[in-house]
Amino acid sequence: MKSYQKLTTTQPAACRVEEEGAAPMPSSHGKLAPWWVGSGLLVAAVLLSTITVWVLRQVSGGWLGPTPPPKCLLVPESHRFDCYPERRVVVTQELCESRGCCFIQSPPLAEGKQGVPWCFYPPDFPSYTLESLNQTALGMVGLLVRREKAYYPRDVEKLRLDVAFETDTRLHIKITDAANPRYEVPLDVPRVMKRAENPIYSLNFSWDPFGVLLQRKATGTVLLNTTVAPLIFADQFLQISTSLPSKFLYGLGEHRGSLLHSLDWNTLTLWARDVSPTESFNLYGAHPFYLLMEEGGNAHGVFLLNSNAMEVALQPAPGLTWRTIGGVLDFYIFLGPDPNMVIQQYQQVIGFPAMPPIWALGFHLCRWGYGSSNETWQTVRAMRNYQIPQDGQWNDIDYMDGYRDFTLDSQKFASLPSLVEDLHKHGQHYVMILDPGISSTSPHGSYWPFDEGLRRGLFLNTTQGQPLIGQVWPGFTAFADFSNPDTHQWWLENLQHFYAHVPFDGLWIDMNEPSNFMDGSEDGCPPGEFDNPPYTPAVLGDSLSAKTVCASAKQKVSVHYNLHNLYGLMEAKATASALIKIRGKRPFVISRSTFPSQGRYSGHWLGDNRSQWKDMCYSIPGLLSFSLFGIPLVGADICGFSGSTSEELCTRWMQLGAFYPFARNHNTQNEKAQHPAVFSPAARTAMKDVLLTRYSLLPFLYTLFHRAHLQGDTVARPLFFEFPWDVATWELDRQFLWGRSLLVTPVLEPGVDSVTGYVPQGTWYDFYTGSSVNSSGEMLKMSAPLEHLNLHIREGSILPTQKPGTTTEMTRGNPLRLIVALSSHATAWGDLFWDDGESLDTFEKGNYSYVVFNVTQNIFTSTVLHASTEATKVTVGTLSIFGVQKPPSKVLLNGQEKPFSYLDNQVLNVSDLGMSLNQGFSLQWL
């Protein structure tokens, strides 16, 4: 019997194991008036700020320098927007005032910590003026003029402002050079033909200084107010700031940290970089999109369509500053009004994710360092021996000859073709790694990928027009230019050649930031504005070429300076296209580097994590962030990639990882094996059981992915998406939902047999037993022995499940079990999408079944809204109804009496239904 203990404590601090000095999370929110508007609070803040500066000057003996002008003292600390953001520079009063800015020195902080900027914009700092504004068919066009030069070179005097009221919930604002074309991201976005008729937002402008003021009509909440700091638009420095209506901001990846960002002077850098996930570093992908929760539970999102090196500075005003070093300012604003709708609206612009093959949702195993195909095969056999579910077997770079793409180690991996054949006979699949760095040192004529790529001119070039040579796993390498369509054809041909020997099923594309073991190239990088721009965002390594190629490298579409953050996206697009042409089925691609729209082509894993409890904990905000980014097929390396795991950590991580949308256990070389078969019987059984639970839920998970593909729903979902009015959910990132219905509460700490989790208001049912727990919206302490993962079903839901097998193929032939979780009104709803699991465009071609389940007034109905022959192969075997208040006297299936069982915990079970999924039916209990 499940026991719960109600607690008055707050949610446990996020991922603090082995971590020191974490900044406290913001806990207040409110509507923000324009900052210059007088109010009691603001006046008090100004007075307090002024008094504080005066006191510090007295006690510091004058080290703070002369008294600043009154206009500078009027700016409260939290509203000081940084005028000198350069790193590695000690900002002096002379440097600051040379830019026309205010200088007020603050007490020094601990190393690595950011604080109140010493150099900040005064209220009268020169900006652009809106000279003209005219109506267009879709919105407005305006001219912005700067009368005084800014302090970065080649600032643009005249800007064009384009505003399009694209839909009632989407606004598009673009600012670019009025006279000269500039690089823009080559991303397909929707073309709108008519202006929105009833937008739920109102847009106003400040003319001098220019500023955007965007409000939500229903509440009056100010979503954007860009008058808080000057607009700067130079050739290689573009900056715009805004106030924010609350401190509850999410997104802006890829970073490691809590789901909710701290606004305590926190700068987030977006520049794709190969580095083990570490707090405060710019990681593998770039996602310039944020979602913000407003007071009352509304939400909005902002997307800056820009692929240049960028940083986003957050401050406690609350406020935000975008800084990018190229391109244009191309903003999409999504009005929701709830967070689910914001993400759907975002994906209407960047594209909905691809529908994965069903086997991609099974369990995958990999390691770097199997050493041979025979050892890889032994792992597969051990899993089969213990009947532990597995769909995918992977190999890292050790399958290659000298770490060269499209080659096979003919000695250690000679039996790989036979292994792949064996996998296919057992309904399993094979996935291999590929890197974009192509070995350049093989004798001419001995390595076709390089020779042919060189002949066709398909590599990144130096400014001198020669292939840029860096160093990756095989040694010296050239880098494929995926911005060139001809490279896609060459990539396909290489894969076709390899597929003839090893018929792989999916591809894992790694090192595609692109990673380089040298900074720039074997010859370094040339002097110039791309490799040494006037401003470099706060990138790890302090250089754009740190552990990657030169920013000045030439590509087909543009210079690498502009395309760097798109490299992984472009490779994913080429790889998915090649897989479709080779296999004629849905592609399965997992990529390390990502950019908006990549969900259309690939999933993502969270990179080279460590076998530590903290890394397991941080994986949850990682996967939830990628749900926001439109890449639902995401997971972390289960049990950790580097370092050595423990049995307890790996057991808990397998339980959590079984609920990653993409579930793969991956390990590095020279560490002990960590696949389930190597552990003690107790741990092995716990891992097997939770994988069987995942496989039983595949019909539910697959339907969630269909909804993601069709309309941009999230799969793994933060709790606040379903309970946006409950502010207690806004900070939660140690739990998550599958869809709207299944709550996952994992153990994330060592040495415990219970877990504390938040249970939102309502009735929730234990997934395994059907016992109910009624919550008013509170923290509950749940029993969690090592073999148990807490799962709860939300009232009003119907989950399609299936008797699990050891592969998705075996599972799909088994009978369905429908779990009904009745609401307090004795109603429930659910659905099921079913197709052959691998063919292309089944929904678009009508080759699918879609079934809706409903309960009202003690009658369960299954209604087939669309039918295909695939669904005739599966039957509905069992109906389990949770929350039936009274024992029924009889149960009728299509009017015919059926045997049933009723348990003391109010669970009604009806077995042996034998109904074809393509056959609608009703079941009534009296």
Side-chain angles (χ1 to χ4, degrees), residues 61-128:
W63 68 271
L64 290 178
T67 303
K71 67 178 181 180
C72 297
L73 292 173
L74 284 173
V75 183
E77 285 190 351
S78 64
H79 290 69
R80 292 178 184 172
F81 286 84
D82 199 346
C83 177
Y84 216 110
E86 281 81 354
R87 300 297 175 101
R88 309 290 183 245
V89 175
V90 177
V91 182
T92 64
Q93 184 167 352
E94 184 180 9
L95 285 173
C96 178
E97 291 179 351
S98 71
R99 293 187 170 183
C101 291
C102 296
F103 184 82
I104 298 179
Q105 198 168 344
S106 302
L109 297 175
E111 188 175 351
K113 294 283 186 182
Q114 291 178 259
V116 182
W118 293 3
C119 184
F120 57 94
Y121 296 105
D124 59 354
F125 191 92
S127 184
Y128 286 87

Side-chain angles (χ1 to χ4, degrees), residues 231-400:
L231 167 65
I232 296 179
F233 199 119
D235 183 36
Q236 290 182 275
F237 185 89
L238 291 72
Q239 177 176 280
I240 190 168
S241 303
T242 181
S243 64
L244 300 171
S246 89
K247 296 185 177 183
F248 290 89
L249 182 140
Y250 315 82
L252 299 174
E254 180 177 7
H255 298 93
R256 183 160 100 155
S258 57
L259 180 64
L260 177 67
H261 287 301
S262 167
L263 271 61
D264 189 17
W265 305 108
N266 180 22
T267 297
L268 302 168
T269 306
L270 281 64
W271 182 248
R273 165 69 193 238
D274 172 8
V275 62
S276 294
T278 305
E279 297 86 317
S280 81
F281 289 177
N282 50 294
L283 301 182
Y284 311 106
H287 292 272
F289 166 81
Y290 71 78
L291 180 145
L292 187 137
M293 292 299 294
E294 306 159 28
E295 182 178 3
N298 287 330
H300 71 274
V302 176
F303 172 41
L304 172 55
L305 180 51
N306 181 293
S307 62
N308 289 88
M310 182 188 307
E311 62 191 16
V312 185
L314 308 175
Q315 63 190 76
L320 175 150
T321 297
W322 299 92
R323 288 187 203 108
T324 182
I325 60 172
V328 301
L329 296 176
D330 191 359
F331 289 101
Y332 288 87
I333 302 99
F334 311 100
L335 274 289
D338 75 52
N340 289 292
M341 295 173 72
V342 171
I343 302 306
Q344 290 175 349
Q345 292 156 13
Y346 176 41
Q347 291 174 91
Q348 286 167 6
V349 170
I350 63 171
F352 296 127
M355 185 68 187
I358 184 71
W359 65 267
L361 306 184
F363 178 62
H364 301 263
L365 260 187
C366 185
R367 78 166 301 171
W368 179 21
Y370 281 124
S372 69
S373 49
N374 286 340
E375 187 180 334
T376 309
W377 210 337
Q378 287 170 9
T379 302
V380 174
R381 288 178 177 133
M383 293 287 285
R384 289 180 193 156
N385 181 54
Y386 290 114
Q387 296 183 302
I388 301 170
Q390 182 189 0
D391 262 80
Q393 180 59 54
W394 299 39
N395 277 124
D396 208 316
I397 56 174
D398 42 346
Y399 79 87
M400 301 176 183

Side-chain angles (χ1 to χ4, degrees), residues 133 136 138-142 161-165 171-174 203 205:
L133 187 66
T136 65
L138 295 179
M140 309 173 205
V141 62
L161 168 71
D162 284 288
V163 177
F165 301 99
L171 176 65
H172 188 187
I173 299 176
K174 183 174 175 181
L203 179 66
F205 296 100

